[in-house]
Amino acid sequence: MLNFYKFSVETLDMRDVNWYNQRGSGAGILLITMRKFTSRLLCGILGSLFSVFFSKKFPRTIRVECTNACNAKCTICPHKNMTRKVEFMSDTLYEQIIRECAENSCREVHLHNFGEPLLDKKLEQRITFAKSNGISRVKIFSNGSLLTKDRSHSLIEAGLDEIKISFDGATSEEFETIRTPLKFNDVVENIRELVKVRNELCSPMKIFVACCSTQDRSETMNLIASEVDGFAFGKVHNWGAGLSHDNAGKLGDMRQVRKPCVRVWNTFTILANGDVALCCLDHDGQMILGHLDERTSIRSIFANADYKRIRNLHSAASQENIQLCANCTKSFL
């Protein structure tokens, strides 16, 4: 017991000590130690498994930010706080990315990141280029506000494999409070029109709806459940602590158990200017792991020392040493 207590004290950091001191509980030190032990065990096991299953030298999923422009100011998104230049990816860079993905049999390419992809007037052209180069699955994540009938036709004809539409709110009031200045009825109608066009063209394209914030999930599903291919409900997260939100969970709670984030093993996020961000939650490009241009490659960046360091820290439950991951809600169970 003495050795266990000694281990407990030595492995505490200042945040642990503050948490313990504020509560003044003799059980606090045991609770914190158990949290650390469980975090290290879980991260070690999962990190090892991720290294085995995602051991290829090329990412499983490539996320291409064709643009970081957006036409919404959602309350659960930090886009309004972004300091990066709003821009569109060049054709030269995009084509380089797709060719390398094709050469390495990349499984999936997402043409979105931190912006509304339908603002990109070249989106259909980009989809066609990816499909013609042998990319098996191309998908986008959209807020649905710009899905006109004509746009639905062109996306399907370009060969889009999947679209996921954000739809947070079971009522007009809830939706429009969260997704300012989008209109509830417009997005509902756009989704229905997209489904109708898809069915008329006999397209295999999948249509999903994603919800992160809603008071009544069942009511939200009932709105269009019979028309889309499925719903994906997720927890509101804090964008790597880049957004403080009441529903995003407590940040850095010392009682929480950490988990490794699979994104650092299987996903590669390329910003519109060619910078490679840590993940899709790095909305402002705080942690850049490389830069893509004619002299560099996805493969070389994905295997560089920075990526290896990030994976090692996640495997050791030491995400507090990574600025973006330290208080990210997705780094905890």
Side-chain angles (χ1 to χ4, degrees):
M1 175 62 78
L2 179 61
N3 290 335
F4 178 73
Y5 179 82
K6 183 174 184 292
F7 169 78
S8 302
V9 175
E10 289 180 347
T11 55
L12 298 181
D13 60 30
M14 284 309 299
R15 291 185 302 167
D16 293 323
V17 173
N18 290 337
W19 184 92
Y20 167 65
N21 287 338
Q22 288 170 7
R23 285 152 183 79
S25 169
I29 197 166
L30 178 61
L31 182 61
I32 295 169
T33 301
M34 291 305 298
R35 187 270 302 174
K36 277 186 170 288
F37 175 78
T38 304
S39 294
R40 289 172 181 172
L41 181 63
L42 180 63
C43 287
I45 293 173
L46 291 180
S48 296
L49 290 174
F50 293 159
S51 294
V52 171
F53 287 110
F54 305 115
S55 60
K56 293 183 179 180
K57 297 186 186 281
F58 202 83
R60 183 175 182 178
T61 300
I62 301 292
R63 189 180 296 263
V64 184
E65 186 183 74
C66 294
T67 182
N68 59 343
C70 191
N71 62 333
K73 297 180 180 178
C74 304
T75 59
I76 58 174
C77 176
H79 193 279
K80 56 186 174 295
N81 301 324
M82 184 182 69
T83 61
R84 286 194 289 134
K85 176 185 175 182
V86 174
E87 57 189 317
F88 294 82
M89 182 174 285
S90 71
D91 293 345
T92 301
L93 175 58
Y94 177 76
E95 291 172 7
Q96 174 188 330
I97 293 167
I98 295 302
R99 289 193 180 99
E100 188 178 355
C101 287
E103 290 169 3
N104 288 276
S105 303
C106 181
R107 180 171 181 173
E108 200 166 286
V109 173
H110 299 184
L111 301 185
H112 61 262
N113 183 51
F114 197 61
E116 171 50 50
L118 295 182
L119 287 172
D120 181 9
K121 295 180 180 179
K122 295 183 177 181
L123 181 61
E124 287 85 347
Q125 177 184 322
R126 298 187 198 272
I127 294 169
T128 299
F129 185 82
K131 296 302 294 182
S132 65
N133 275 272
I135 302 302
S136 61
R137 190 158 193 78
V138 179
K139 65 184 287 187
I140 64 171
F141 202 128
S142 170
N143 61 37
S145 65
L146 302 175
L147 272 174
T148 62
K149 183 177 181 179
D150 287 344
R151 203 71 196 269
S152 294
H153 265 282
S154 62
L155 288 170
I156 292 169
E157 290 168 351
L160 186 65
D161 295 292
E162 181 181 323
I163 181 171
K164 186 176 287 187
I165 301 163
S166 298
F167 195 89
D168 299 311
T171 65
S172 175
E173 181 181 8
E174 184 185 12
F175 178 93
E176 292 176 12
T177 297
I178 296 169
R179 297 199 155 268
T180 306
L182 308 187
K183 298 302 178 184
F184 176 84
N185 290 333
D186 291 346
V187 176
V188 170
E189 185 57 35
N190 287 348
I191 294 173
R192 288 176 172 156
E193 186 63 42
L194 175 65
V195 173
K196 180 181 177 182
V197 172
R198 189 269 309 265
N199 293 343
E200 287 175 350
L201 296 176
C202 299
S203 166
M205 183 183 76
K206 296 296 183 182
I207 302 170
F208 295 98
V209 170
C211 262
C212 281
S213 181
T214 180
Q215 296 171 8
D216 191 333
R217 290 188 177 187
S218 61
E219 187 62 27
T220 304
M221 290 182 66
N222 290 339
L223 280 169
I224 44 180
S226 62
E227 302 177 55
V228 298
D229 296 305
F231 277 79
F233 285 104
K235 297 178 181 179
V236 176
H237 57 80
N238 64 356
W239 293 93
L243 179 70
S244 178
H245 192 276
D246 291 341
N247 295 324
K250 296 179 180 179
L251 307 184
D253 190 329
M254 289 296 100
R255 294 165 295 176
Q256 288 182 295
V257 173
R258 285 196 179 276
K259 64 176 181 178
C261 183
V262 70
R263 287 178 176 85
V264 301
W265 275 272
N266 72 351
T267 303
F268 194 85
T269 301
I270 309 165
L271 304 184
N273 67 350
D275 284 344
V276 177
L278 174 60
C279 76
C280 59
L281 303 187
D282 188 1
H283 65 279
D284 218 15
Q286 296 178 56
M287 291 197 65
I288 301 303
L289 304 179
H291 181 82
L292 268 180
D293 55 32
E294 66 279 359
R295 298 163 298 181
T296 58
S297 67
I298 294 171
R299 178 182 283 267
S300 63
I301 295 173
F302 197 58
N304 70 19
D306 289 333
Y307 255 110
K308 289 177 181 177
R309 173 181 171 273
I310 295 294
R311 294 180 191 121
N312 288 338
L313 288 171
H314 272 258
S315 294
S318 297
Q319 292 94 324
E320 68 271 12
N321 295 313
I322 309 169
Q323 181 183 358
L324 194 69
C325 307
N327 288 313
C328 179
T329 45
K330 289 188 176 291
S331 284
F332 296 94
L333 285 181

